Amino acid sequence: MAALPIAQADVKEVPESELTMTKDLSFDIHKTLFTLRYRHYSPKSLDDDYSSRIFDGYLKVLDPNKIYFTKEDIDGFEKYRNKIDDFLIRRDAEVAFEIFKVFRKRLDDRTKAVRTLIESDFDFTINEKLNIDRDSFEWKTPKQIDDEWRKRIKNDTLQQTMAKTPITEIRENLLRRYDRQRDVIFQLKGEEVFEWFMNSYTTEHGPHTTYMSHVTAENFNISITLSLQGIGAALNTDEDYTVVNRIIKGGPAEKSGSIKAEDKIVAVGQENEEMINVIGWRLNDVVQMIRGDKGTKVRLDVLTGDSAPGSPPERIELVRDIIQLEDQAAKLSYLDVPEGQGSSKYGVISIPSFYSNVRQARRGNGKLVATTRDVKKLIKEAQDNGVEGLALDLRGNGGGLLHEAISLTGLFIDQGPVVQIVGSRPNQRAVEKDLDSSIAYDGPLVVLIDRYSASASEIFAGAMQDYGRALIVGERSFGKGTVQSPEQLREGGRKSTIKYTNAQFFRISGSSTQHKGVIPDLKLNSGREDDEFGERSYDNALPWTETQAANYRAGSLPIGLVSSLSSKHQNRSNVSPAFEYLRKSSDRIFQNKEIKSISLNLEVRQAERDNREQAALSDLNTYRKSLGLEPVTSDTRKDNPLPDEDEHWNKVFHQEAAEILHDYNKHQSALVTKLTNS
């Protein structure tokens, strides 16, 4: 994989004269405004209030930590706050370039000042703290910014000191980091700056409405055709960090078990090349560095999802690969639940995504794989092996093909509607149905979901819940209930695109999956629910709403079943070492989120880190003891994974699903006996 321009010594800066409006960009403004006004599912008026939000959003994109622009700069920009709507209507975004040029100058000046700070001999015995509570950040005077940067560089130095990095290497690392961050900004072309500004406008329509320059549009097209070669992780941006949003089944990340959802990637390096810090980088640039040819290696410095602020990262190495549909295919496993002298067998079908390669297979390009087709075969296999119940595992399933979610629903119901799609135009409503009256499985059924189950997963789980066909178990799903459509804005070689929300999914009950997600019938006792996760965590996400119900025969689970199963799960999980460990891990994550400042005193910081690490190790070793395993230390932990490594926790959840199914059967048997005796 060729190195990015940002990693090269010969930096080609974009002259200020090229940072200006062009005819193409003016046309893009016109076409974007037209599209969002007449085709977006929830159009918004472009007025002074909207202008003010664009203004604040653009400044947040450029300087989220408020450490480059001075308060005087912001006061000078205030004259534009309520005029951006007028500029856009006139197809003009020159204001974006004017503000960006000031930002470039401030960043350039700050980078020069930082070089002096990096060479400083810091006193780590002083009791002072660095504020990391972004909600409390305010625009500052130059003197206040100087002090803020002193603390930031001191913290950068302290972090690497804690990792036992020599001071000469620390200084070299930091010099490269901040020089490269400057280079990234100075290499931005006019259309890239314009893209940042336009997305300050489009995201006010919702988090999934985005303007894409031709480079971003090309990357988008690559990702949706599944031809991406990389590590198998869906990434997004959270403040300054590139965050793992979802691990893709069958990819290098999932197979390695060394990187998980919610981990933060802070540095990237090619094989045998230096690590490049990517904190504060654009997502596209980070993705470009991680992407590469099959068989090549990429190194990542990662902060785990439960790392406290200020913790040093861990380094991992992954071999890039192409993620095949076969790797994401549904899989069947069996679990036994002891009962008296015998046991009962249950099946779990894991469904990582809703997939199909029908078109490719028809052209002779590979073996036919499709979710519904594969699951139907696995159901028959499970029935032939005498299972007494089935669980479908949709945890981590981020969606996929809608028609596969609809046809999969049809395996468990007679026939009828599955999902409603409501468009932006009046009376634009479609009710998607399963028309096949055959049923592949009519026995006890559990559907496992978690916070990463999204889109098509939520449609399937919602339909199963509305029909009363399955017990939904787990945690509240992601809440992605909208439909997006990409539209090319202009012709020619450099094609920009607008991706906008043009419809919304509704369950057949009339309830939306948007924002709220699917609420499980039985919530697993594995940790606290994060109210700031999923669709509900996004700025400007469409709210939950309702529409009319479809014409279907609503079903419900037997009276008293859910409360009985929930009570039994609660009793079981309260004494389960696995669930106790999960709850403690969840508590640590929430405690870390409450940290608003970090100490710049080395002794204090090390003690805090050691205490957190010892607490985490104590919890882990308590769990390991319950499994008959020897305790581990921070040094031996990596080389002594839990049994079955990345499959360990899948087996924990699958075993609990089997226990719930077993309780389900016993509840139903008791009910039948009671009715017979009466």
Side-chain angles (χ1 to χ4, degrees), residues 484-643:
Q484 281 72 46
S485 176
E487 184 172 321
Q488 186 179 307
L489 293 176
R490 49 186 150 96
E491 299 296 331
R494 302 172 74 83
K495 301 172 182 176
S496 53
T497 299
I498 179 75
K499 178 169 70 74
Y500 62 97
T501 298
N502 64 343
Q504 184 168 351
F505 292 126
F506 286 89
R507 291 166 57 162
I508 51 178
S509 62
S511 174
S512 175
T513 58
Q514 171 64 17
H515 207 280
K516 185 185 290 187
V518 175
I519 310 297
D521 301 306
L522 190 160
K523 185 184 182 302
L524 289 177
N525 184 25
S526 56
R528 295 160 60 185
E529 182 176 283
D530 191 347
D531 290 329
E532 296 182 357
F533 187 88
E535 192 79 7
R536 53 196 176 275
S537 70
Y538 293 147
D539 292 338
N540 311 310
L542 287 178
W544 178 87
T545 186
E546 291 181 288
T547 189
Q548 67 191 56
N551 182 19
Y552 77 107
R553 183 178 296 174
S556 61
L557 296 167
I559 297 173
L561 174 66
V562 174
S563 59
S564 173
L565 299 185
S566 295
S567 177
K568 286 180 169 58
H569 164 69
Q570 197 73 26
N571 293 336
R572 193 164 47 243
S573 62
N574 281 341
V575 296
S576 163
F579 278 86
E580 175 67 13
Y581 178 69
L582 290 171
R583 287 191 294 271
K584 287 184 176 180
S585 298
S586 171
D587 288 341
R588 277 198 302 276
I589 292 173
F590 277 92
Q591 290 165 7
N592 290 338
K593 288 183 177 182
E594 294 301 314
I595 298 174
K596 305 299 183 184
S597 63
I598 51 179
S599 175
L600 298 178
N601 180 303
L602 178 59
E603 186 176 339
V604 171
R605 184 80 156 266
Q606 284 179 326
E608 290 174 344
R609 182 192 67 179
D610 291 345
N611 289 338
R612 284 191 293 264
E613 188 174 274
Q614 287 307 311
L617 278 174
S618 175
D619 292 340
L620 174 60
N621 284 327
T622 298
Y623 180 51
R624 289 179 64 88
K625 185 178 180 180
S626 73
L627 300 173
L629 301 174
E630 293 294 319
V632 292
T633 66
S634 56
D635 292 330
T636 63
R637 178 177 181 173
K638 267 192 172 182
D639 296 327
N640 292 274
L642 295 170

Side-chain angles (χ1 to χ4, degrees), residues 79-324:
K79 61 188 176 185
Y80 301 125
R81 178 176 289 278
N82 297 324
K83 293 182 179 179
I84 293 175
D85 56 327
D86 302 317
F87 295 150
L88 289 175
I89 290 169
R90 296 200 299 264
R91 309 184 187 184
D92 180 18
E94 195 63 45
V95 61
F97 297 107
E98 183 175 332
I99 293 174
F100 180 75
K101 288 171 185 176
V102 175
F103 175 67
R104 281 211 332 178
K105 178 68 167 64
R106 297 292 175 264
L107 183 139
D108 189 42
D109 292 342
R110 187 53 55 186
T111 303
K112 293 172 183 174
V114 160
R115 296 183 70 87
T116 301
L117 280 174
I118 289 171
E119 298 296 333
S120 300
D121 293 319
F122 291 108
D123 184 353
F124 295 123
T125 66
I126 298 173
N127 287 320
E128 61 178 345
K129 293 186 175 183
L130 175 66
N131 179 20
I132 59 171
D133 180 14
R134 181 169 291 187
D135 291 339
S136 70
F137 291 171
E138 297 178 346
W139 299 112
K140 304 174 184 68
T141 64
K143 187 175 181 181
Q144 290 171 323
I145 293 176
D146 287 342
D147 189 57
E148 177 72 14
W149 271 100
R150 178 188 64 80
K151 290 181 178 179
R152 284 178 169 268
I153 299 302
K154 185 176 182 178
N155 177 64
D156 291 339
T157 306
L158 176 58
Q159 270 186 274
Q160 295 190 48
T161 299
M162 290 171 63
K164 296 183 170 38
T165 306
I167 187 62
T168 53
E169 187 177 336
I170 292 174
R171 287 169 175 164
E172 289 173 1
N173 291 341
L174 295 180
L175 285 170
R176 282 196 298 268
R177 175 197 301 186
Y178 289 105
D179 282 346
R180 282 201 174 88
Q181 287 183 358
R182 177 208 176 273
D183 293 344
V184 168
I185 296 302
F186 273 76
Q187 289 179 98
L188 288 176
K189 298 176 182 177
E191 61 185 29
E192 295 172 301
V193 176
F194 178 78
E195 181 178 18
W196 281 8
F197 176 75
M198 285 299 289
N199 280 320
S200 300
Y201 161 61
T202 61
T203 53
E204 287 296 324
H205 277 70
H208 308 293
T209 296
T210 56
Y211 168 87
M212 294 182 277
S213 66
H214 79 283
V215 173
T216 305
E218 285 175 5
N219 288 335
F220 175 74
N221 290 332
I222 289 172
S223 67
I224 63 175
T225 56
L226 293 178
S227 60
L228 178 64
Q229 299 182 58
I231 64 171
L235 308 176
N236 63 11
T237 301
D238 182 11
E239 298 183 346
D240 285 343
Y241 292 100
T242 298
V243 181
V244 178
N245 184 48
R246 179 169 54 88
I247 297 296
I248 299 169
K249 288 287 185 181
E254 192 253 350
K255 290 177 180 177
S256 76
S258 57
I259 186 168
K260 303 286 191 299
E262 298 184 53
D263 287 354
K264 299 181 178 73
I265 298 172
V266 298
V268 180
Q270 311 308 320
E271 185 177 8
N272 300 323
E273 294 183 15
E274 64 177 330
M275 299 297 293
I276 299 175
N277 186 283
V278 295
I279 296 174
W281 281 31
R282 298 182 309 157
L283 182 61
N284 282 343
D285 292 330
V286 180
V287 170
Q288 288 275 52
M289 292 188 71
I290 294 174
R291 181 183 298 162
D293 294 334
K294 177 181 178 180
T296 60
K297 294 179 180 179
V298 62
R299 292 175 297 147
L300 307 174
D301 282 351
V302 174
L303 290 171
T304 60
D306 59 356
S307 295
S311 300
E314 298 178 9
R315 181 161 298 173
I316 64 173
E317 184 176 84
L318 299 171
V319 180
R320 299 178 177 101
D321 201 355
I322 300 174
I323 302 164
Q324 303 290 348

